[in-house]
Amino acid sequence: MNLSQLNKSIVLSCVLGVSSFTLTTFPSVAGQILADKTVQQITHPNLVNTFSDVEAMRSQLNVEGRFKATFEATKSALDIAILEPINVPFPKDAGGGYTHEVHKNNYKLMYDAGIIYQLTKQQKYADFVRDVLVKYAELYPKLSLHPERKSSNPGKLFWQGLNEAVWLVHTIQAYDAVLPALSAEDRQVIEQGALRPVALFLSEESPNTFNKVHNHGTWATCAVGMTGFVLGEDEWVEKSLYGLDKTGTGGFMRQLDELFSPEGYYNEGPYYQRYALMPFVTFAKAIENNQPERKIFEHRGQVLLKAIEATAQLSYAGLFFPINDAIKDKGIDTIELVHGVAIAYGVTKKAGLLGLAQQQNQIILTGDGLKVAKALDANLAQPYQFKTQLFGDGATGKDGAFAVLRTGSESDSSVVTFKATAQGLGHGHFDKLNLSFYDKGREILSDYGAARFLNVEAKFGGRYLPENETYAKQTVAHNTVVVDEISHFDADTDTGNMNHPEVTFFAESDKATIVSAEISTAYKGVKLARTIALIKDGDSDLILDIFDVESKSEHQYDLPFHYEGHFIQANFKYQPELESLTALGQANGYQHLWLKAQAQPKEGLAKLTWLNDNGRFYTLNTLNEEGGEVLFVTTGANDPDFNLRHDNAFILRVDGKRKHQFVSVIEAHGEYNPSKEYTLDSESLITSIEQQKQGSVNLVIIKRARAEDMILAYQTGSAITQSFVIDGQEYTLTKNIELF
C-alpha cells in the first residue's frame, strides 16, 4: 500500500469502545487454551459497552437518524479500506512518517472493524482484525527499540512508547469485539505474539513510564488494564490501578488523584487535558462495567465528570486555550472530547451536554453514543452554558489557578484568561500571571502555544522543535513581565514545578469580573502581582490590567503584549528600522525577536491601535512614565529553518527601577467592513485613566470622549457597604466589585 492508498483508506470515524456479548469463548481469554478446545458459555460486560448496549445499537441500524448515518458512513469507508492488501511494515519512521502512519491507520481500521463486526456479525470484519493481528504477532517479537527513538519513553512499533500504548488501547478493544469469531489457535498466536508482549513492554519493561503521574502513564495503565480485563489477568488490572508494586505509588488511581484539581483542571493545561481524557474515560468506563463496586465515576466528587466539562469550558469559539505546549488548532470537536461528552451524558443526562455534542457534530458507535444520537434526534439539546470560572490547579486545587472571565455564556463572547497556575510539568511554559484576550470569535492578545508541526516529518520528525525550548516556553513569548531579560525560574522546569502563584482575589458582578494573583519566587527578590478586570460595556468590552513589580534592587522590567492583527497607529512618534533588523537580545527568547521600531513616548497616556481579522479595532491604552520605552518586535530572528510564526508584539519597558506599576486598559471599539466599504469608530475613545483609593475602596476612573465616564470600584475584603465621592458626586459600593 503506497502513501496515497493509505490516505484513501483512512476511515472517517475513529471509534473507541467495543462491546460485550454472550460469547462462545475458549479459556484463552484467561490466558490458557484447553487442549481439547472445550468451550463454555459466559455472559459478562467487556470494556466500554455492555451486552444491552450492543443490542440497543443493533436495533437502531434500520432507524433513520444520526446513529444509522454514522454506522453507514463508517461501514462504507471500512468496506473500501479492507479491500487493500494488509500492510504491517517494519517500523523505521518517526511521527508523521510512512510506517508511523501505517501502524496508526491499522489500529483505527481494526477498531472500526471490531465495532462493525459486533453490529453486523459479518465474518469478514472479524477476519480482517484476525489477519492484521496475526501479522503483528509475527512482527512484534522481532522488534528492538525503534530506530528513531528520541525520548525517555521509547517504543518499538512507534518512536515513543506513548504511541505504543495508544495502539494497544485501540487494538485490545478490536480484539475483544471479535473474540467469538476466532479459533483457539488464532487467539494463541495473537495473544502470545502481540497482545501480551506489548502489554508487558508497556508495564514491566517500562516501569518509569508506567508508574509516572503523566499522560504517558495514563495511556499505558489504560492499555495494560484493559488488556488485563480481556485476557483475564487480574494482576495486570491491579497493577494498572495501583502501580507495579500495587501500593498506590503509581497507577491509574494516583493519576486520577493528582493530575486533576477538584474543579477538573488538568495540570498540563487543556491541550493535554483533552489528550489524556481519552484513556481516563475509556478505562473508567471499562472499570465501571467490569468492577462496578469501585464506583469510579463517583471518585473524588465525580472528578472525571468535572474534568470532561472543564475540558469544554477551557475553550473559546470551539478551540482550546493554547497555554503551555499546545497546538492551536485543537478544539472541542476532537475525538477525545466527543467520547468524553458521550460518556458524561450517559451518566448525567444533562441536556446542556447535548448542546455541546451538537457543536461537535459527531456521533460515535457506542452505547453512550447511541444515547446522544437519539436525544439529538428528539431535539432534546439545550445550549451549552460557558461561564466565568476559577479553575484551581493541583490535587487540592490550591496550587494557583487558571481564571476564565467571560462577558456571556455564548462560545464567542469576550473572554480573558489569566494564567496563575502551577508549572504544568515538562509541558509547562514559564509564564506566570500571563494574560490572553479573545473577542468576536478571534484571538486578540495571543499565546504562542507550542513550536511544533505535529506529524510533519520534514519538520524535526513532527516532534517539538528546538524553538519550543528557546522561544515558545520562554517568558518573553507571553503577555507577562520579564525581569532583566531572564525567564521565570530561569527557565528551569524543576524549580517551576516547586513554585506557583497565589490567587489573592476573585469577584464578579453583572458588568465586571476581577481577579488578582501574585508570586515572589519567579525571580529572587522580586515580587510580581497582577490584577485583571473584564468590563462589559454594551458592545465594547474593556480590560483593566494593573501589573505591580517590586524589588529592593534596580532592574529592567519588560511587559510584552502579543497582538493578533495589523498595526494601525500610535499616538506618539516612533523610530522604525527601515533597512536592517537586529535581534532584541542574546538569549531567553529575545534572540528570536526582531526589533522593528522603538519609541520613548511622553509622560501620560500612550496608545497603540491594531485591527483584528474579526473587523474590530483594539487599542492598548497604557500610562507611561518619563523614560519608559515602547518596543515593536516580531518573531523570526535566529530562525534558520523558518520554524517560527511571524507574531507581533509591543513591549513596554522601564529600566533602572526598583518598583514599577504598569497600568493599562485594552479597549475594543469600532468596525471595519471592506466588503461594504465603511469604517466606524477606528479611534480610541479613552482620554485618561486615573487610580484612587478611598478607605478600602479601590477606584479606577476611565474617562472617554463621546461616551460616559466609567468608574470601576472594588474592595478585596468582605463585601460591606461603603461610600465614595468622585467629582463631587457620591456613590455607594455594596459588593466586592461594581461598575458605575
Side-chain angles (χ1 to χ4, degrees):
M1 183 187 297
N2 60 35
L3 191 57
S4 174
Q5 291 171 323
L6 169 65
N7 290 335
K8 289 180 181 178
S9 72
I10 294 177
V11 294
L12 298 177
S13 171
C14 172
V15 180
L16 277 181
V18 289
S19 309
S20 61
F21 32 77
T22 302
L23 58 84
T24 301
T25 180
F26 293 92
S28 62
V29 175
Q32 300 174 354
I33 300 179
L34 299 181
D36 61 0
K37 300 183 179 59
T38 302
V39 299
Q40 64 182 98
Q41 297 285 334
I42 61 174
T43 302
H44 67 99
N46 280 349
L47 304 184
V48 172
N49 290 324
T50 64
F51 176 73
S52 60
D53 286 333
V54 176
E55 290 300 307
M57 287 189 285
R58 287 178 186 157
S59 71
Q60 292 297 305
L61 297 185
N62 294 315
V63 179
E64 294 302 322
R66 287 171 169 84
F67 191 84
K68 178 186 176 184
T70 300
F71 165 77
E72 290 179 344
T74 303
K75 182 176 180 297
S76 177
L78 182 64
D79 286 340
I80 295 171
I82 64 177
L83 294 177
E84 298 285 346
I86 293 173
N87 183 13
V88 179
F90 199 89
K92 66 182 183 68
D93 301 309
Y98 174 74
T99 60
H100 178 98
E101 291 302 309
V102 169
H103 291 303
K104 184 177 171 182
N105 187 53
N106 283 345
Y107 70 64
K108 291 181 178 180
L109 291 174
M110 285 191 288
Y111 263 130
D112 283 348
I115 283 289
I116 300 304
Y117 168 74
Q118 283 192 313
L119 297 183
T120 66
K121 289 300 179 183
Q122 293 183 26
Q123 186 66 29
K124 65 177 181 179
Y125 301 113
D127 290 347
F128 174 78
V129 175
R130 177 202 63 201
D131 293 346
V132 176
L133 283 178
V134 166
K135 285 190 175 291
Y136 275 107
E138 294 170 356
L139 173 68
Y140 202 79
K142 302 174 185 177
L143 300 180
S144 56
L145 294 181
H146 196 283
E148 289 296 318
R149 62 188 182 276
K150 298 292 183 184
S151 72
S152 59
N153 177 28
K156 291 184 176 182
L157 280 173
F158 298 91
W159 70 279
Q160 61 176 349
L162 170 64
N163 302 93
E164 211 107 334
V166 176
W167 181 92
L168 185 56
V169 168
H170 286 72
T171 300
I172 193 59
Q173 294 181 79
Y175 179 69
D176 181 54
V178 302
L179 270 174
L182 303 183
S183 69
E185 291 81 4
D186 287 336
R187 294 178 194 175
Q188 184 177 40
V189 168
I190 291 167
E191 291 178 17
Q192 300 302 324
L195 300 180
R196 288 179 176 276
V198 176
L200 290 171
F201 172 72
L202 292 172
S203 55
E204 304 292 344
E205 297 173 35
S206 306
N208 291 336
T209 299
F210 191 78
N211 285 331
K212 195 172 186 179
V213 181
H214 185 271
N215 76 80
H216 287 211
T218 308
W219 277 100
T221 54
C222 172
V224 175
M226 291 173 67
T227 303
F229 279 135
V230 175
L231 302 188
E233 291 285 2
D234 295 340
E235 277 286 290
W236 292 6
V237 175
E238 289 300 302
K239 288 179 178 181
S240 294
L241 290 170
Y242 298 110
L244 289 173
D245 62 5
K246 298 186 290 184
T247 65
T249 56
F252 185 79
M253 299 308 295
R254 186 180 175 201
Q255 293 158 5
L256 195 56
D257 287 342
E258 295 189 14
L259 286 175
F260 292 107
S261 76
E263 293 83 17
Y265 179 83
Y266 185 73
N267 184 258
E268 295 177 287
Y271 177 79
Y272 274 92
Q273 176 152 343
R274 61 88 207 167
Y275 187 65
L277 196 64
M278 182 71 92
F280 270 116
V281 300
T282 303
F283 193 23
K285 189 71 175 176
I287 294 167
E288 179 74 9
N289 285 340
N290 286 272
Q291 299 176 343
E293 67 277 5
R294 292 189 185 274
K295 298 182 178 179
I296 193 70
F297 286 108
E298 299 299 317
H299 186 70
R300 284 188 69 204
Q302 298 187 329
V303 71
L304 262 182
L305 298 175
K306 291 177 181 176
I308 294 167
E309 291 225 41
T311 309
Q313 289 287 342
L314 292 167
S315 69
Y316 178 76
L319 297 177
F320 297 124
F321 297 125
I323 62 171
N324 295 334
D325 282 344
I327 305 300
K328 300 181 78 168
D329 298 322
K330 281 288 186 181
I332 62 173
D333 62 348
T334 184
I335 190 64
E336 296 90 347
L337 188 56
V338 173
H339 279 271
V341 168
I343 288 173
Y345 179 74
V347 174
T348 68
K349 299 298 188 294
K350 289 183 180 178
L353 289 170
L354 296 175
L356 194 59
Q358 214 164 30
Q359 294 180 46
Q360 294 172 327
N361 196 29
Q362 297 177 64
I363 297 298
I364 54 174
L365 299 178
T366 67
D368 290 323
L370 175 61
K371 294 171 186 174
V372 170
K374 292 177 70 174
L376 290 177
D377 289 343
N379 297 316
L380 298 180
Q382 294 180 5
Y384 187 73
Q385 299 295 306
F386 291 91
K387 58 186 178 181
T388 291
Q389 192 167 350
L390 192 66
F391 293 91
D393 197 0
T396 63
K398 296 180 180 179
D399 295 346
F402 188 75
V404 180
L405 314 182
R406 299 181 185 267
T407 59
S409 62
E410 299 80 13
S411 64
D412 63 349
S413 298
S414 295
V415 173
V416 168
T417 66
F418 183 45
K419 187 170 181 274
T421 64
Q423 181 64 27
L425 306 177
H427 287 299
H429 288 192
F430 301 97
D431 59 345
K432 303 301 101 176
L433 312 187
N434 180 33
L435 164 72
S436 295
F437 176 39
Y438 306 81
D439 184 42
K440 298 297 182 186
R442 297 297 180 118
E443 200 173 17
I444 310 303
L445 293 175
S446 62
D447 191 303
Y448 191 89
R452 184 184 190 184
F453 290 84
L454 182 63
N455 284 343
V456 179
E457 189 180 21
K459 280 293 190 181
F460 208 62
R463 302 184 296 274
Y464 287 102
L465 297 162
E467 289 78 11
N468 197 57
E469 298 293 327
T470 59
Y471 182 71
K473 284 188 175 184
Q474 301 292 329
T475 306
V476 74
H478 304 87
N479 304 316
T480 189
V481 161
V482 190
V483 178
D484 297 331
E485 298 186 19
I486 298 171
S487 288
H488 297 170
F489 311 117
D490 201 17
D492 181 74
T493 299
D494 290 339
T495 304
N497 284 332
M498 292 187 293
N499 298 277
H500 59 79
E502 298 289 341
V503 176
T504 56
F505 180 53
F506 177 77
E508 58 182 317
S509 64
D510 292 342
K511 294 185 178 180
T513 307
I514 192 167
V515 61
S516 299
E518 62 184 38
I519 186 169
S520 298
T521 54
Y523 299 100
K524 185 177 181 179
V526 180
K527 178 181 178 181
L528 307 178
R530 193 172 201 173
T531 297
I532 301 289
L534 176 60
I535 302 169
K536 185 174 183 179
D537 180 42
D539 193 44
S540 297
D541 302 315
L542 304 175
I543 302 167
L544 170 67
D545 179 20
I546 302 174
F547 207 134
D548 289 288
V549 193
E550 183 176 351
S551 176
K552 292 182 179 179
S553 55
E554 294 183 350
H555 296 279
Q556 173 185 293
Y557 301 132
D558 290 347
L559 177 55
F561 287 92
H562 295 264
Y563 66 94
E564 293 289 327
H566 196 93
F567 174 68
I568 298 298
Q569 65 176 354
N571 71 337
F572 53 83
K573 292 183 179 180
Y574 51 87
Q575 183 62 46
E577 300 292 339
L578 298 178
E579 296 184 355
S580 63
L581 298 175
T582 57
L584 184 59
Q586 300 299 315
N588 304 315
Y590 282 77
Q591 76 274 27
H592 291 300
L593 294 173
W594 291 121
L595 178 61
K596 298 193 299 180
Q598 53 190 321
Q600 287 190 327
K602 294 179 181 179
E603 187 173 357
L605 194 61
K607 293 173 170 284
L608 296 139
T609 300
W610 67 98
L611 174 64
N612 188 267
D613 287 344
N614 65 7
R616 298 193 86 185
F617 296 92
Y618 298 88
T619 297
L620 170 63
N621 301 271
T622 187
L623 293 178
N624 185 62
E625 292 184 1
E626 185 177 354
E629 294 183 87
V630 178
L631 310 177
F632 297 68
V633 299
T634 192
T635 51
N638 293 298
D639 184 19
D641 296 317
F642 308 106
N643 287 335
L644 293 170
R645 297 191 307 269
H646 285 179
D647 285 3
N648 298 307
F650 309 120
I651 298 180
L652 310 181
R653 170 174 287 180
V654 295
D655 198 4
K657 296 280 188 178
R658 291 185 175 88
K659 295 175 62 176
H660 184 71
Q661 185 179 67
F662 295 97
V663 179
S664 305
V665 173
I666 297 98
E667 171 191 15
H669 57 93
E671 182 184 354
Y672 172 62
N673 190 319
S675 176
K676 296 183 179 179
E677 298 185 6
Y678 68 80
T679 301
L680 302 173
D681 298 325
S682 62
E683 300 277 347
S684 165
L685 299 180
I686 294 177
T687 58
S688 70
I689 304 169
E690 179 187 346
Q691 292 188 87
Q692 293 184 18
K693 189 164 186 177
Q694 297 186 26
S696 61
V697 179
N698 300 280
L699 299 166
V700 179
I701 304 156
I702 302 170
K703 295 190 175 181
R704 301 183 292 177
R706 306 189 312 278
E708 292 183 356
D709 297 343
M710 304 174 67
I711 302 169
L712 183 70
Y714 61 95
Q715 49 184 328
T716 57
S718 299
I720 59 175
T721 300
Q722 299 189 74
S723 297
F724 58 90
V725 178
I726 301 291
D727 294 334
Q729 183 174 347
E730 184 175 354
Y731 300 85
T732 301
L733 176 65
T734 61
K735 306 174 182 177
N736 277 109
I737 182 171
E738 203 159 351
L739 186 68
F740 296 92

